[in-house]
Amino acid sequence: MLPWDAPLAGRLDRHSFTSELLRGNPLGDPHERPLWVYVPPGYEDSAERYPVIYVIQGFTGQVPMWGNRTAFRPSFPETADAVFAAGAPACVVVYVDAWTAYGGSQFVDSPGTGHYHSYLCDELVPWVDAHYRTIPERESRALSGKSSGGFGAMITPMLRPDLFGALATHAGDALYELCYLPEFGKAARALRAYDHDVFRWWDDFRSRPAFTRPGDESLLVAFGVAACFSALADGTPELPFDPVSGVVKPEVWDRWLAWDPVRLAPAHTTTLRDLRAVWIDAGTRDEWFLDLGATAFRDEVLKAGLPADRLHFELFDAGHAAIDYRYPLALKWLAERLAR
């Protein structure tokens, strides 16, 4: 394996997308975003139309990070290209940027971050369909992601069944009492150094190299996700716990729980039952217990009536990190099941 970029069998187009929905967002984040679109081998030599798989990232993810290389491991655009070069049914693959100054958007519309759900669904999808030879139907469109991206991949097909007919979630955020609650205690302890003021921490965090003090990760998750799930009308993130005692605030916590895919699923049984393909996986040693969240979401999907042959569920020996080798496996599985 070469330690630098190798030629692709397909083609990766790097665009700059101007979003009107993100223009003037509450954080002043750029409304011009990188958008990568991969077309498979043979695309340029045919008039064929292709299914599309949208790929969304975890918290703190930015599209250029897909080009990062680690020792002995190719990048995802390279492993995705290898899937199609090896003969998997050809698809267009779209790499979406939904980063915010707080680390992420959770792919929802929020007064704290901006209209990222609408940006994905109502701007990017139509643009891709207009500029590439896609099959512009839900049965030919999938969403895939890891961690917060896996969360987005779970909820978006439920909320927009007109657009997405398949999904893959790798260790996606789910079963919030296990993945989020333990972080609140760590965050409350870390706030002691800031007189229990999360905004003082945020000012300090931005003034120094990131993640150089204890509690930074837990505080960023609590603060950043609060901006997505429980922001006040003026956009101020409201923590779901008391910053002194760590006691959960039920009225705020309930706003987080309303986004839990495990709790969303029972209200979307018809949509879940009609999905063409669902891939769910997680590591058995996931630090946020997302293996249990994956299991709980699997149970809800099956309870909704999805035929077992449309579901791939797997728990594998790993933690939360370094599971990128799973992405091309799900990509191939989805490609074989999307309508053509």
Side-chain angles (χ1 to χ4, degrees):
M1 183 188 305
L2 297 175
W4 48 80
D5 290 342
L8 299 178
R11 187 185 80 226
L12 184 64
D13 298 336
R14 292 174 169 87
H15 299 283
S16 179
F17 180 83
T18 300
S19 168
E20 294 305 317
L21 288 172
L22 297 184
R23 189 188 294 273
N25 64 80
L27 298 178
D29 289 328
H31 67 279
E32 293 185 6
R33 295 299 177 98
L35 178 70
W36 291 6
V37 182
Y38 167 87
V39 296
Y43 179 90
E44 297 175 0
D45 301 322
S46 77
E48 183 181 353
R49 290 188 170 271
Y50 298 86
V52 189
I53 300 173
Y54 286 77
V55 178
I56 54 180
Q57 291 172 305
F59 204 67
T60 72
Q62 305 168 10
V63 157
M65 294 168 67
W66 287 125
N68 293 349
R69 304 180 64 82
T70 55
F72 309 110
R73 281 188 161 175
S75 68
F76 183 35
E78 290 172 326
T79 59
D81 180 66
V83 164
F84 298 114
C91 293
V92 170
V93 181
V94 180
Y95 299 88
V96 175
D97 187 274
W99 174 88
T100 75
Y102 291 150
S105 67
Q106 298 298 98
F107 310 96
V108 302
D109 289 344
S110 167
T113 54
H115 299 289
Y116 285 87
H117 175 78
S118 298
Y119 152 72
L120 167 63
C121 295
D122 298 329
E123 287 189 324
L124 293 186
V125 169
W127 188 91
V128 170
D129 286 342
H131 289 82
Y132 288 87
R133 293 197 316 276
T134 66
I135 303 173
E137 304 293 340
R138 68 176 297 276
E139 293 82 5
S140 304
R141 197 182 286 123
L143 194 59
S144 178
K146 184 248 182 173
S147 195
S148 287
F151 162 76
M154 285 185 276
I155 66 162
T156 305
M158 286 193 274
L159 300 177
R160 292 298 302 267
D162 58 314
L163 294 181
F164 295 98
L167 69 92
T169 173
H170 306 281
D173 301 356
L175 204 61
Y176 285 3
E177 60 265 45
L178 294 184
C179 75
Y180 281 132
L181 274 179
E183 295 301 309
F184 297 166
K186 299 174 189 176
R189 283 177 171 174
L191 284 176
R192 290 170 178 162
Y194 300 93
D195 292 331
H196 313 289
D197 185 342
V198 71
F199 297 98
R200 282 190 59 186
W201 164 80
W202 178 240
D203 288 342
D204 176 60
F205 180 79
R206 290 185 296 171
S207 72
R208 56 179 168 82
F211 306 110
T212 53
R213 291 189 179 173
D216 277 350
E217 186 176 68
S218 295
L219 280 167
L220 185 64
V221 168
F223 188 64
V225 177
C228 303
F229 290 169
S230 57
L232 300 176
D234 66 1
T236 303
E238 184 175 14
L239 295 177
F241 59 89
D242 183 273
V244 178
S245 67
V247 171
V248 169
K249 298 178 180 178
E251 69 281 5
V252 184
W253 177 232
D254 284 348
R255 295 178 65 186
W256 286 49
L257 290 177
W259 283 110
D260 186 343
V262 176
R263 290 172 172 80
L264 269 176
H268 299 275
T269 54
T270 300
T271 295
L272 291 172
R273 183 171 60 247
D274 290 344
L275 291 173
R276 289 186 67 91
V278 176
W279 174 292
I280 306 170
D281 73 16
T284 55
R285 295 179 279 108
D286 190 283
E287 293 83 347
W288 285 272
F289 301 100
L290 294 172
D291 50 326
L292 300 177
T295 303
F297 185 65
R298 183 273 313 268
D299 292 346
E300 291 298 329
V301 168
L302 290 176
K303 196 183 303 181
L306 182 78
D309 62 354
R310 297 186 198 170
L311 173 69
H312 177 95
F313 175 76
E314 186 177 354
L315 299 181
F316 52 93
D317 184 21
H320 191 68
I323 64 171
D324 50 292
Y325 65 93
R326 308 291 306 178
Y327 306 164
L329 303 179
L331 191 71
K332 179 177 183 293
W333 194 84
L334 290 173
E336 293 171 343
R337 287 159 178 80
L338 291 172
R340 297 179 179 273

